[in-house]
Amino acid sequence: MPLMSRTPRTWTIAELADEFDVTHRALRHYEQLGLLGPERVGPGGSRRLYHRRDHIRLALILRGRRLGFPLDEIRTIIDMYDDQPGEAGQLRYLLDQIGHRRVDLERRRQDIEQSLAELEDLEQRCRADLDRMA
Amino acid sequence: MPLMSRTPRTWTIAELADEFDVTHRALRHYEQLGLLGPERVGPGGSRRLYHRRDHIRLALILRGRRLGFPLDEIRTIIDMYDDQPGEAGQLRYLLDQIGHRRVDLERRRQDIEQSLAELEDLEQRCRADLDRMA
DNA sequence: CCTTACGTTGACGTTAACGTCAAGACACGG
DNA sequence: CCGTGTCTTGACGTTAACGTCAACGTAAGG
């Protein structure tokens, strides 16, 4: 009975695109911008092979996209997770970046909660109007 | 002593652009897309005059922009607040749209909270690393 | 009257994030 | 051997959201 490590899965471009519902083209685009780095296999290294790392990064990319972040900003963000800096100065710099990110995200959360509140308010008024008509 | 209504303020394009830190060009753009509708004053109606309605809408526009919504989607959203439909069918349609919006916003909130959680996790690890080094 | 400030309308330029061909390599079933 | 499917690399097209002139009008101050 194995102790850890399930089948070390990999993906072809079609499988990955399928699973995340993005196009082949988009994956190539993310790669050109340095967001993904699939292995090259086959004759002359002509085919892309995606590993768990890419799978994880793609999920982060798409979440960032849903939140409206530009791709190059997304890259610097997810790179923060991958690179484990060993030097103190780098660590401090990273902590600083994290701080900025947090401020940004918390502001967005504020915006969203405001929007939701106003939306629910509008909803109440609509329901009231409907009730009055019935 | 007046009962209500403070000075019914209006804005020139420069004042509005200044207050919200956007460009004259952006305001014209929003107008072309139907997001703003300033009054026209001066000789031959050659100058724009923005009222409270535009002021409010602009705030909503910018919040939508911060959240990454496309401008035409923002327009349909803020139009929901302005148009008070009197007919039952329209009201039901509006309630339906509100539902969609809510789903969207709640998903975004989820994304953001996930991001924040991971960020704080990373922050902890960084601080731990720093402490270990000191 | 001349400059300066503020405003106007085109109209073309730019960036981001892909979409959309075109043309070709490689493997496999029939 | 031939078509079908999957993949590759260019390379050009597209949309959104403005930026950036250019050219002009008007009002105010000196």
Side-chain angles (χ1 to χ4, degrees), chain A residues 12-14 24 28 40 46-48:
Chain A
T12 73
I13 194 169
H24 160 161
R28 267 185 58 208
R40 286 315 190 98
S46 67
R47 270 50 189 328
R48 281 167 243 261

PDB file of all heavy atoms in Angstrom, chain A residues 12-14 24 28 40 46-48, chain D residues 5-13:
ATOM      1  N   THR A  12      -2.596  16.933 -21.601  1.00  0.00           N
ATOM      2  CA  THR A  12      -2.319  17.478 -22.930  1.00  0.00           C
ATOM      3  C   THR A  12      -3.014  18.834 -22.996  1.00  0.00           C
ATOM      4  O   THR A  12      -3.822  19.174 -22.133  1.00  0.00           O
ATOM      5  CB  THR A  12      -2.884  16.593 -24.050  1.00  0.00           C
ATOM      6  OG1 THR A  12      -4.318  16.745 -24.058  1.00  0.00           O
ATOM      7  CG2 THR A  12      -2.554  15.141 -23.802  1.00  0.00           C
ATOM      8  N   ILE A  13      -2.733  19.555 -24.022  1.00  0.00           N
ATOM      9  CA  ILE A  13      -3.323  20.879 -24.132  1.00  0.00           C
ATOM     10  C   ILE A  13      -4.852  20.789 -24.249  1.00  0.00           C
ATOM     11  O   ILE A  13      -5.580  21.610 -23.692  1.00  0.00           O
ATOM     12  CB  ILE A  13      -2.722  21.669 -25.321  1.00  0.00           C
ATOM     13  CG1 ILE A  13      -3.094  23.147 -25.210  1.00  0.00           C
ATOM     14  CG2 ILE A  13      -3.166  21.090 -26.656  1.00  0.00           C
ATOM     15  CD1 ILE A  13      -2.348  24.034 -26.162  1.00  0.00           C
ATOM     16  N   ALA A  14      -5.304  19.764 -24.951  1.00  0.00           N
ATOM     17  CA  ALA A  14      -6.742  19.602 -25.136  1.00  0.00           C
ATOM     18  C   ALA A  14      -7.431  19.279 -23.811  1.00  0.00           C
ATOM     19  O   ALA A  14      -8.498  19.824 -23.506  1.00  0.00           O
ATOM     20  CB  ALA A  14      -7.019  18.500 -26.148  1.00  0.00           C
ATOM     21  N   HIS A  24      -7.273  26.535 -26.573  1.00  0.00           N
ATOM     22  CA  HIS A  24      -5.886  26.229 -26.869  1.00  0.00           C
ATOM     23  C   HIS A  24      -5.118  27.547 -27.013  1.00  0.00           C
ATOM     24  O   HIS A  24      -4.036  27.706 -26.453  1.00  0.00           O
ATOM     25  CB  HIS A  24      -5.921  25.423 -28.173  1.00  0.00           C
ATOM     26  CG  HIS A  24      -4.656  25.375 -28.951  1.00  0.00           C
ATOM     27  ND1 HIS A  24      -4.425  24.414 -29.910  1.00  0.00           N
ATOM     28  CD2 HIS A  24      -3.568  26.162 -28.945  1.00  0.00           C
ATOM     29  CE1 HIS A  24      -3.229  24.613 -30.440  1.00  0.00           C
ATOM     30  NE2 HIS A  24      -2.692  25.666 -29.882  1.00  0.00           N
ATOM     31  N   ARG A  28      -1.752  29.070 -24.953  1.00  0.00           N
ATOM     32  CA  ARG A  28      -0.514  29.506 -25.588  1.00  0.00           C
ATOM     33  C   ARG A  28      -0.216  30.947 -25.205  1.00  0.00           C
ATOM     34  O   ARG A  28       0.934  31.313 -24.973  1.00  0.00           O
ATOM     35  CB  ARG A  28      -0.642  29.402 -27.107  1.00  0.00           C
ATOM     36  CG  ARG A  28      -0.142  28.105 -27.671  1.00  0.00           C
ATOM     37  CD  ARG A  28      -0.186  28.139 -29.183  1.00  0.00           C
ATOM     38  NE  ARG A  28       0.593  29.230 -29.765  1.00  0.00           N
ATOM     39  CZ  ARG A  28       0.325  29.797 -30.940  1.00  0.00           C
ATOM     40  NH1 ARG A  28      -0.691  29.368 -31.649  1.00  0.00           N
ATOM     41  NH2 ARG A  28       1.091  30.772 -31.390  1.00  0.00           N
ATOM     42  N   ARG A  40       8.132  20.104 -22.667  1.00  0.00           N
ATOM     43  CA  ARG A  40       8.050  19.784 -24.090  1.00  0.00           C
ATOM     44  C   ARG A  40       8.426  18.332 -24.284  1.00  0.00           C
ATOM     45  O   ARG A  40       9.497  17.896 -23.838  1.00  0.00           O
ATOM     46  CB  ARG A  40       8.976  20.684 -24.901  1.00  0.00           C
ATOM     47  CG  ARG A  40       8.466  22.104 -25.037  1.00  0.00           C
ATOM     48  CD  ARG A  40       6.988  22.084 -25.388  1.00  0.00           C
ATOM     49  NE  ARG A  40       6.511  23.402 -25.749  1.00  0.00           N
ATOM     50  CZ  ARG A  40       6.393  23.809 -27.014  1.00  0.00           C
ATOM     51  NH1 ARG A  40       6.698  22.998 -28.000  1.00  0.00           N
ATOM     52  NH2 ARG A  40       5.937  25.022 -27.273  1.00  0.00           N
ATOM     53  N   SER A  46       8.080  18.748 -29.604  1.00  0.00           N
ATOM     54  CA  SER A  46       7.082  19.502 -30.355  1.00  0.00           C
ATOM     55  C   SER A  46       5.717  19.576 -29.662  1.00  0.00           C
ATOM     56  O   SER A  46       4.887  20.378 -30.041  1.00  0.00           O
ATOM     57  CB  SER A  46       6.898  18.896 -31.745  1.00  0.00           C
ATOM     58  OG  SER A  46       6.321  17.617 -31.633  1.00  0.00           O
ATOM     59  N   ARG A  47       5.540  18.726 -28.634  1.00  0.00           N
ATOM     60  CA  ARG A  47       4.247  18.744 -27.961  1.00  0.00           C
ATOM     61  C   ARG A  47       4.365  19.270 -26.538  1.00  0.00           C
ATOM     62  O   ARG A  47       5.361  19.017 -25.871  1.00  0.00           O
ATOM     63  CB  ARG A  47       3.640  17.332 -27.903  1.00  0.00           C
ATOM     64  CG  ARG A  47       2.756  16.895 -29.065  1.00  0.00           C
ATOM     65  CD  ARG A  47       3.321  17.108 -30.355  1.00  0.00           C
ATOM     66  NE  ARG A  47       2.543  16.922 -31.580  1.00  0.00           N
ATOM     67  CZ  ARG A  47       1.575  16.078 -31.822  1.00  0.00           C
ATOM     68  NH1 ARG A  47       1.082  15.307 -30.898  1.00  0.00           N
ATOM     69  NH2 ARG A  47       1.034  15.988 -33.022  1.00  0.00           N
ATOM     70  N   ARG A  48       3.310  19.965 -26.085  1.00  0.00           N
ATOM     71  CA  ARG A  48       3.285  20.479 -24.722  1.00  0.00           C
ATOM     72  C   ARG A  48       2.727  19.440 -23.753  1.00  0.00           C
ATOM     73  O   ARG A  48       1.784  18.730 -24.096  1.00  0.00           O
ATOM     74  CB  ARG A  48       2.392  21.714 -24.660  1.00  0.00           C
ATOM     75  CG  ARG A  48       3.035  22.979 -25.162  1.00  0.00           C
ATOM     76  CD  ARG A  48       2.011  24.060 -25.365  1.00  0.00           C
ATOM     77  NE  ARG A  48       1.943  24.439 -26.769  1.00  0.00           N
ATOM     78  CZ  ARG A  48       2.550  25.487 -27.277  1.00  0.00           C
ATOM     79  NH1 ARG A  48       3.247  26.282 -26.527  1.00  0.00           N
ATOM     80  NH2 ARG A  48       2.469  25.738 -28.569  1.00  0.00           N
TER      81      ARG A  48
ATOM     82  P    DG D   5     -12.125  13.381 -37.740  1.00  0.00           P
ATOM     83  OP1  DG D   5     -13.383  13.057 -37.023  1.00  0.00           O
ATOM     84  OP2  DG D   5     -12.038  14.603 -38.570  1.00  0.00           O
ATOM     85  O5'  DG D   5     -10.947  13.399 -36.678  1.00  0.00           O
ATOM     86  C5'  DG D   5     -10.545  12.163 -36.045  1.00  0.00           C
ATOM     87  C4'  DG D   5      -9.409  12.441 -35.083  1.00  0.00           C
ATOM     88  O4'  DG D   5      -8.173  12.571 -35.827  1.00  0.00           O
ATOM     89  C3'  DG D   5      -9.568  13.748 -34.285  1.00  0.00           C
ATOM     90  O3'  DG D   5      -9.216  13.499 -32.917  1.00  0.00           O
ATOM     91  C2'  DG D   5      -8.594  14.708 -34.952  1.00  0.00           C
ATOM     92  C1'  DG D   5      -7.512  13.767 -35.467  1.00  0.00           C
ATOM     93  N9   DG D   5      -6.801  14.257 -36.648  1.00  0.00           N
ATOM     94  C8   DG D   5      -7.352  14.869 -37.739  1.00  0.00           C
ATOM     95  N7   DG D   5      -6.466  15.199 -38.641  1.00  0.00           N
ATOM     96  C5   DG D   5      -5.256  14.780 -38.111  1.00  0.00           C
ATOM     97  C6   DG D   5      -3.939  14.863 -38.633  1.00  0.00           C
ATOM     98  O6   DG D   5      -3.563  15.343 -39.707  1.00  0.00           O
ATOM     99  N1   DG D   5      -3.013  14.310 -37.759  1.00  0.00           N
ATOM    100  C2   DG D   5      -3.309  13.743 -36.533  1.00  0.00           C
ATOM    101  N2   DG D   5      -2.289  13.266 -35.835  1.00  0.00           N
ATOM    102  N3   DG D   5      -4.536  13.664 -36.035  1.00  0.00           N
ATOM    103  C4   DG D   5      -5.457  14.200 -36.874  1.00  0.00           C
ATOM    104  P    DT D   6      -9.389  14.633 -31.812  1.00  0.00           P
ATOM    105  OP1  DT D   6      -9.850  13.960 -30.584  1.00  0.00           O
ATOM    106  OP2  DT D   6     -10.159  15.752 -32.401  1.00  0.00           O
ATOM    107  O5'  DT D   6      -7.899  15.131 -31.555  1.00  0.00           O
ATOM    108  C5'  DT D   6      -6.913  14.182 -31.170  1.00  0.00           C
ATOM    109  C4'  DT D   6      -5.542  14.823 -31.190  1.00  0.00           C
ATOM    110  O4'  DT D   6      -5.119  15.031 -32.555  1.00  0.00           O
ATOM    111  C3'  DT D   6      -5.502  16.212 -30.522  1.00  0.00           C
ATOM    112  O3'  DT D   6      -4.556  16.193 -29.465  1.00  0.00           O
ATOM    113  C2'  DT D   6      -5.087  17.150 -31.657  1.00  0.00           C
ATOM    114  C1'  DT D   6      -4.369  16.202 -32.595  1.00  0.00           C
ATOM    115  N1   DT D   6      -4.299  16.663 -33.996  1.00  0.00           N
ATOM    116  C2   DT D   6      -3.081  16.667 -34.615  1.00  0.00           C
ATOM    117  O2   DT D   6      -2.051  16.294 -34.092  1.00  0.00           O
ATOM    118  N3   DT D   6      -3.106  17.131 -35.915  1.00  0.00           N
ATOM    119  C4   DT D   6      -4.212  17.591 -36.614  1.00  0.00           C
ATOM    120  O4   DT D   6      -4.094  17.982 -37.764  1.00  0.00           O
ATOM    121  C5   DT D   6      -5.451  17.551 -35.893  1.00  0.00           C
ATOM    122  C7   DT D   6      -6.703  18.026 -36.555  1.00  0.00           C
ATOM    123  C6   DT D   6      -5.440  17.100 -34.632  1.00  0.00           C
ATOM    124  P    DC D   7      -4.398  17.527 -28.563  1.00  0.00           P
ATOM    125  OP1  DC D   7      -3.959  17.049 -27.236  1.00  0.00           O
ATOM    126  OP2  DC D   7      -5.612  18.357 -28.711  1.00  0.00           O
ATOM    127  O5'  DC D   7      -3.176  18.284 -29.236  1.00  0.00           O
ATOM    128  C5'  DC D   7      -1.887  17.669 -29.243  1.00  0.00           C
ATOM    129  C4'  DC D   7      -0.984  18.370 -30.236  1.00  0.00           C
ATOM    130  O4'  DC D   7      -1.580  18.350 -31.542  1.00  0.00           O
ATOM    131  C3'  DC D   7      -0.755  19.870 -29.978  1.00  0.00           C
ATOM    132  O3'  DC D   7       0.407  20.060 -29.183  1.00  0.00           O
ATOM    133  C2'  DC D   7      -0.498  20.423 -31.393  1.00  0.00           C
ATOM    134  C1'  DC D   7      -0.861  19.281 -32.312  1.00  0.00           C
ATOM    135  N1   DC D   7      -1.700  19.742 -33.453  1.00  0.00           N
ATOM    136  C2   DC D   7      -1.081  20.054 -34.648  1.00  0.00           C
ATOM    137  O2   DC D   7       0.139  19.928 -34.750  1.00  0.00           O
ATOM    138  N3   DC D   7      -1.837  20.486 -35.689  1.00  0.00           N
ATOM    139  C4   DC D   7      -3.158  20.603 -35.547  1.00  0.00           C
ATOM    140  N4   DC D   7      -3.853  21.033 -36.612  1.00  0.00           N
ATOM    141  C5   DC D   7      -3.812  20.293 -34.331  1.00  0.00           C
ATOM    142  C6   DC D   7      -3.058  19.868 -33.307  1.00  0.00           C
ATOM    143  P    DT D   8       0.815  21.547 -28.804  1.00  0.00           P
ATOM    144  OP1  DT D   8       1.832  21.440 -27.722  1.00  0.00           O
ATOM    145  OP2  DT D   8      -0.420  22.317 -28.587  1.00  0.00           O
ATOM    146  O5'  DT D   8       1.541  22.116 -30.101  1.00  0.00           O
ATOM    147  C5'  DT D   8       2.793  21.578 -30.496  1.00  0.00           C
ATOM    148  C4'  DT D   8       3.276  22.214 -31.779  1.00  0.00           C
ATOM    149  O4'  DT D   8       2.338  21.922 -32.842  1.00  0.00           O
ATOM    150  C3'  DT D   8       3.331  23.728 -31.753  1.00  0.00           C
ATOM    151  O3'  DT D   8       4.547  24.173 -31.193  1.00  0.00           O
ATOM    152  C2'  DT D   8       3.263  24.071 -33.241  1.00  0.00           C
ATOM    153  C1'  DT D   8       2.484  22.911 -33.845  1.00  0.00           C
ATOM    154  N1   DT D   8       1.121  23.295 -34.330  1.00  0.00           N
ATOM    155  C2   DT D   8       0.980  23.801 -35.588  1.00  0.00           C
ATOM    156  O2   DT D   8       1.912  23.983 -36.335  1.00  0.00           O
ATOM    157  N3   DT D   8      -0.304  24.102 -35.947  1.00  0.00           N
ATOM    158  C4   DT D   8      -1.429  23.948 -35.179  1.00  0.00           C
ATOM    159  O4   DT D   8      -2.546  24.246 -35.607  1.00  0.00           O
ATOM    160  C5   DT D   8      -1.221  23.424 -33.857  1.00  0.00           C
ATOM    161  C7   DT D   8      -2.380  23.218 -32.926  1.00  0.00           C
ATOM    162  C6   DT D   8       0.034  23.115 -33.496  1.00  0.00           C
ATOM    163  P    DT D   9       4.677  25.646 -30.684  1.00  0.00           P
ATOM    164  OP1  DT D   9       5.883  25.744 -29.834  1.00  0.00           O
ATOM    165  OP2  DT D   9       3.364  26.043 -30.163  1.00  0.00           O
ATOM    166  O5'  DT D   9       4.927  26.466 -32.018  1.00  0.00           O
ATOM    167  C5'  DT D   9       6.035  26.159 -32.854  1.00  0.00           C
ATOM    168  C4'  DT D   9       5.911  26.892 -34.183  1.00  0.00           C
ATOM    169  O4'  DT D   9       4.623  26.591 -34.776  1.00  0.00           O
ATOM    170  C3'  DT D   9       5.999  28.411 -34.054  1.00  0.00           C
ATOM    171  O3'  DT D   9       6.950  28.900 -34.982  1.00  0.00           O
ATOM    172  C2'  DT D   9       4.584  28.892 -34.364  1.00  0.00           C
ATOM    173  C1'  DT D   9       4.034  27.785 -35.256  1.00  0.00           C
ATOM    174  N1   DT D   9       2.562  27.613 -35.152  1.00  0.00           N
ATOM    175  C2   DT D   9       1.763  27.845 -36.244  1.00  0.00           C
ATOM    176  O2   DT D   9       2.203  28.204 -37.317  1.00  0.00           O
ATOM    177  N3   DT D   9       0.426  27.639 -36.034  1.00  0.00           N
ATOM    178  C4   DT D   9      -0.182  27.236 -34.865  1.00  0.00           C
ATOM    179  O4   DT D   9      -1.396  27.089 -34.802  1.00  0.00           O
ATOM    180  C5   DT D   9       0.706  27.011 -33.757  1.00  0.00           C
ATOM    181  C7   DT D   9       0.157  26.570 -32.430  1.00  0.00           C
ATOM    182  C6   DT D   9       2.018  27.201 -33.944  1.00  0.00           C
ATOM    183  P    DG D  10       7.375  30.438 -34.945  1.00  0.00           P
ATOM    184  OP1  DG D  10       7.818  30.809 -36.315  1.00  0.00           O
ATOM    185  OP2  DG D  10       8.289  30.640 -33.824  1.00  0.00           O
ATOM    186  O5'  DG D  10       6.013  31.162 -34.596  1.00  0.00           O
ATOM    187  C5'  DG D  10       5.777  32.421 -35.133  1.00  0.00           C
ATOM    188  C4'  DG D  10       5.528  32.371 -36.632  1.00  0.00           C
ATOM    189  O4'  DG D  10       4.452  31.433 -36.922  1.00  0.00           O
ATOM    190  C3'  DG D  10       5.093  33.710 -37.172  1.00  0.00           C
ATOM    191  O3'  DG D  10       5.594  33.915 -38.480  1.00  0.00           O
ATOM    192  C2'  DG D  10       3.565  33.632 -37.160  1.00  0.00           C
ATOM    193  C1'  DG D  10       3.293  32.130 -37.361  1.00  0.00           C
ATOM    194  N9   DG D  10       2.158  31.684 -36.554  1.00  0.00           N
ATOM    195  C8   DG D  10       2.190  31.283 -35.242  1.00  0.00           C
ATOM    196  N7   DG D  10       1.022  30.913 -34.787  1.00  0.00           N
ATOM    197  C5   DG D  10       0.165  31.081 -35.867  1.00  0.00           C
ATOM    198  C6   DG D  10      -1.224  30.843 -35.976  1.00  0.00           C
ATOM    199  O6   DG D  10      -2.002  30.421 -35.115  1.00  0.00           O
ATOM    200  N1   DG D  10      -1.708  31.146 -37.248  1.00  0.00           N
ATOM    201  C2   DG D  10      -0.932  31.609 -38.283  1.00  0.00           C
ATOM    202  N2   DG D  10      -1.569  31.848 -39.434  1.00  0.00           N
ATOM    203  N3   DG D  10       0.365  31.827 -38.197  1.00  0.00           N
ATOM    204  C4   DG D  10       0.845  31.543 -36.960  1.00  0.00           C
ATOM    205  P    DA D  11       5.870  35.435 -38.909  1.00  0.00           P
ATOM    206  OP1  DA D  11       6.679  35.397 -40.152  1.00  0.00           O
ATOM    207  OP2  DA D  11       6.365  36.175 -37.728  1.00  0.00           O
ATOM    208  O5'  DA D  11       4.424  35.967 -39.269  1.00  0.00           O
ATOM    209  C5'  DA D  11       3.605  35.236 -40.176  1.00  0.00           C
ATOM    210  C4'  DA D  11       2.207  35.826 -40.151  1.00  0.00           C
ATOM    211  O4'  DA D  11       1.378  35.103 -39.210  1.00  0.00           O
ATOM    212  C3'  DA D  11       2.158  37.299 -39.710  1.00  0.00           C
ATOM    213  O3'  DA D  11       1.267  37.989 -40.538  1.00  0.00           O
ATOM    214  C2'  DA D  11       1.645  37.198 -38.293  1.00  0.00           C
ATOM    215  C1'  DA D  11       0.675  36.041 -38.455  1.00  0.00           C
ATOM    216  N9   DA D  11       0.248  35.427 -37.211  1.00  0.00           N
ATOM    217  C8   DA D  11       0.983  35.242 -36.066  1.00  0.00           C
ATOM    218  N7   DA D  11       0.318  34.657 -35.093  1.00  0.00           N
ATOM    219  C5   DA D  11      -0.936  34.454 -35.627  1.00  0.00           C
ATOM    220  C6   DA D  11      -2.099  33.880 -35.098  1.00  0.00           C
ATOM    221  N6   DA D  11      -2.177  33.385 -33.868  1.00  0.00           N
ATOM    222  N1   DA D  11      -3.198  33.825 -35.895  1.00  0.00           N
ATOM    223  C2   DA D  11      -3.112  34.319 -37.139  1.00  0.00           C
ATOM    224  N3   DA D  11      -2.056  34.879 -37.748  1.00  0.00           N
ATOM    225  C4   DA D  11      -1.002  34.919 -36.930  1.00  0.00           C
ATOM    226  P    DC D  12       1.411  39.599 -40.698  1.00  0.00           P
ATOM    227  OP1  DC D  12       2.275  39.811 -41.863  1.00  0.00           O
ATOM    228  OP2  DC D  12       1.778  40.159 -39.382  1.00  0.00           O
ATOM    229  O5'  DC D  12      -0.066  40.105 -41.052  1.00  0.00           O
ATOM    230  C5'  DC D  12      -0.928  39.245 -41.801  1.00  0.00           C
ATOM    231  C4'  DC D  12      -2.289  39.190 -41.132  1.00  0.00           C
ATOM    232  O4'  DC D  12      -2.208  38.437 -39.904  1.00  0.00           O
ATOM    233  C3'  DC D  12      -2.853  40.564 -40.746  1.00  0.00           C
ATOM    234  O3'  DC D  12      -4.143  40.697 -41.336  1.00  0.00           O
ATOM    235  C2'  DC D  12      -2.911  40.534 -39.233  1.00  0.00           C
ATOM    236  C1'  DC D  12      -3.062  39.039 -38.964  1.00  0.00           C
ATOM    237  N1   DC D  12      -2.652  38.618 -37.595  1.00  0.00           N
ATOM    238  C2   DC D  12      -3.578  37.933 -36.805  1.00  0.00           C
ATOM    239  O2   DC D  12      -4.707  37.692 -37.254  1.00  0.00           O
ATOM    240  N3   DC D  12      -3.221  37.553 -35.546  1.00  0.00           N
ATOM    241  C4   DC D  12      -2.006  37.836 -35.093  1.00  0.00           C
ATOM    242  N4   DC D  12      -1.694  37.438 -33.854  1.00  0.00           N
ATOM    243  C5   DC D  12      -1.046  38.529 -35.883  1.00  0.00           C
ATOM    244  C6   DC D  12      -1.414  38.900 -37.113  1.00  0.00           C
ATOM    245  P    DG D  13      -5.039  41.998 -41.091  1.00  0.00           P
ATOM    246  OP1  DG D  13      -5.758  42.290 -42.350  1.00  0.00           O
ATOM    247  OP2  DG D  13      -4.206  43.031 -40.442  1.00  0.00           O
ATOM    248  O5'  DG D  13      -6.090  41.457 -40.035  1.00  0.00           O
ATOM    249  C5'  DG D  13      -6.824  40.256 -40.317  1.00  0.00           C
ATOM    250  C4'  DG D  13      -7.998  40.136 -39.351  1.00  0.00           C
ATOM    251  O4'  DG D  13      -7.529  39.632 -38.077  1.00  0.00           O
ATOM    252  C3'  DG D  13      -8.685  41.466 -39.057  1.00  0.00           C
ATOM    253  O3'  DG D  13     -10.088  41.225 -38.970  1.00  0.00           O
ATOM    254  C2'  DG D  13      -8.064  41.899 -37.738  1.00  0.00           C
ATOM    255  C1'  DG D  13      -7.804  40.556 -37.049  1.00  0.00           C
ATOM    256  N9   DG D  13      -6.640  40.547 -36.158  1.00  0.00           N
ATOM    257  C8   DG D  13      -5.365  40.961 -36.456  1.00  0.00           C
ATOM    258  N7   DG D  13      -4.529  40.808 -35.462  1.00  0.00           N
ATOM    259  C5   DG D  13      -5.288  40.269 -34.453  1.00  0.00           C
ATOM    260  C6   DG D  13      -4.929  39.887 -33.135  1.00  0.00           C
ATOM    261  O6   DG D  13      -3.825  39.951 -32.594  1.00  0.00           O
ATOM    262  N1   DG D  13      -6.021  39.379 -32.440  1.00  0.00           N
ATOM    263  C2   DG D  13      -7.292  39.258 -32.932  1.00  0.00           C
ATOM    264  N2   DG D  13      -8.206  38.750 -32.112  1.00  0.00           N
ATOM    265  N3   DG D  13      -7.646  39.604 -34.157  1.00  0.00           N
ATOM    266  C4   DG D  13      -6.595  40.101 -34.861  1.00  0.00           C
TER     267       DG D  13
END
